Amino acid sequence: MIETTIGADITSITLDRPHRRNALTPDGLDALQAAVEECETSVICLHGAGPAFCAGADLDVVADLGREEAAAFAEQGQRVARAIVESPAVVIAAIDGAARGGGVELALACDLRVATPAATFAETGVRLGLFGAWGGTHRLPRVVGEGNAMDLALSGRTVDAETALRMGLVSRVTDDPTEVAREVAASDPAALERLQPLLRDRGTAAARERAEREAFADLVTRNAGTLRDG
C-alpha cells in the first residue's frame, strides 16, 4: 500500500494502490504517517503509483463508517497531514494524474507541490455530500487565496495543471517533478532544516524575526569556512 525507497538525500514514498487510484484506508494512512516520521533524509518526494496521484479517502470504507468512526477517520487524516507539515524534511508532492479530495489535502500539507502536465485537481466532496476534512478547509485558502478556495471547494470543479499553477496550488509544472526534489536535495541539509519551519511558521512577526535571527546566526557560525571560500 505504501512503498518507500531511500536514497542518499531523497526518500521516495509511493502510494501504491493503483487499482483504487491510490485511495487511502485507515491502514494506508497509518503506513503513510510511519513512512514520513521514520524518514532520515533531508527531502521526501511523495508519489502516486499508476495513472493517479491520490483519489483521497477510500469511499468504500467511508460509506460504512458510523458517526464516531467517521470523526476518528477524519482525525486520522488530519494527523497524517500534520506529520507531513511537521516533518523536518522538505516534503514535495510529485503530482502526476488525478489528485482528488484527500489527495489534494495531502498535497497541501507538503512544502512544495510540483505537477506534470497530466495532473488534474478537484475537491469533489461537495458533489458527494461531503467536504475535505484532512486540513483542507484551512490550508486551501492559505495556499490559493480565499476566492480560489471557495471556487474549488464549493463547485467541485476539476482544474488542469496550468490552471493550478496560475492559482498557486502548484509551484511548477514539469515532465519530471523529481528534478525539483534533486534541486532541493542539493542544498545544505542544515540550512533546509532551519529554513523550512521558518517559512511555514504563522506566529507573530516578532517571534518569526527572532527565530529567523537565531537560525541565521547558527548557520553562519556553522558554515563560516564555506562562506569565506566564497
Side-chain angles (χ1 to χ4, degrees):
M1 188 173 293
I2 303 293
E3 295 291 333
T4 302
T5 303
I6 303 172
D9 303 304
I10 301 171
T11 295
S12 292
I13 299 176
T14 302
L15 310 177
D16 193 15
R17 290 185 78 208
H19 63 291
R20 293 290 295 167
R21 295 179 33 168
N22 304 315
L24 288 160
T25 64
D27 287 345
L29 286 169
D30 281 343
L32 176 56
Q33 181 176 349
V36 170
E37 292 178 341
E38 292 167 6
C39 173
E40 296 183 353
T41 59
S42 59
V43 177
I44 294 172
C45 199
L46 181 62
H47 304 264
F53 173 69
C54 179
D58 189 318
L59 294 180
D60 285 349
V61 172
V62 173
D64 291 333
L65 298 177
R67 191 181 190 284
E68 291 186 4
E69 294 170 321
F73 186 51
E75 196 281 330
Q76 186 181 16
Q78 292 169 350
R79 188 169 66 246
V80 175
R82 285 197 304 272
I84 293 172
V85 169
E86 294 169 2
S87 172
V90 175
V91 186
I92 300 171
I95 304 159
D96 186 23
R100 299 288 184 270
V104 174
E105 293 184 286
L106 291 179
L108 286 167
C110 295
D111 297 298
L112 290 171
R113 289 159 297 282
V114 183
T116 71
T120 59
F121 303 82
E123 286 280 15
T124 53
V126 290
R127 297 190 175 183
L128 302 169
L130 297 172
F131 65 88
W134 291 353
T137 58
H138 66 90
R139 291 194 182 97
L140 184 62
R142 193 180 73 204
V143 170
V144 303
E146 184 176 299
N148 284 327
M150 289 285 190
D151 181 8
L152 289 170
L154 299 182
S155 72
R157 74 184 180 105
T158 300
V159 298
D160 61 17
E162 290 298 332
T163 303
L165 180 64
R166 290 194 295 273
M167 286 182 168
L169 183 55
V170 300
S171 58
R172 298 196 212 179
V173 177
T174 174
D175 291 329
D176 183 10
T178 59
E179 287 181 357
V180 179
R182 290 191 291 271
E183 284 180 24
V184 174
S187 300
D188 179 78
L192 290 176
E193 187 175 352
R194 298 301 295 268
L195 177 59
Q196 182 249 41
L198 290 172
L199 293 172
R200 276 193 174 277
D201 186 69
R202 299 287 160 178
T204 65
R208 292 184 65 183
E209 287 172 358
R210 182 171 60 252
E212 190 176 68
R213 289 194 302 272
E214 291 172 357
F216 180 76
D218 288 345
L219 291 168
V220 168
T221 302
R222 177 182 179 275
N223 296 315
T226 303
L227 295 170
R228 289 190 191 96
D229 293 340

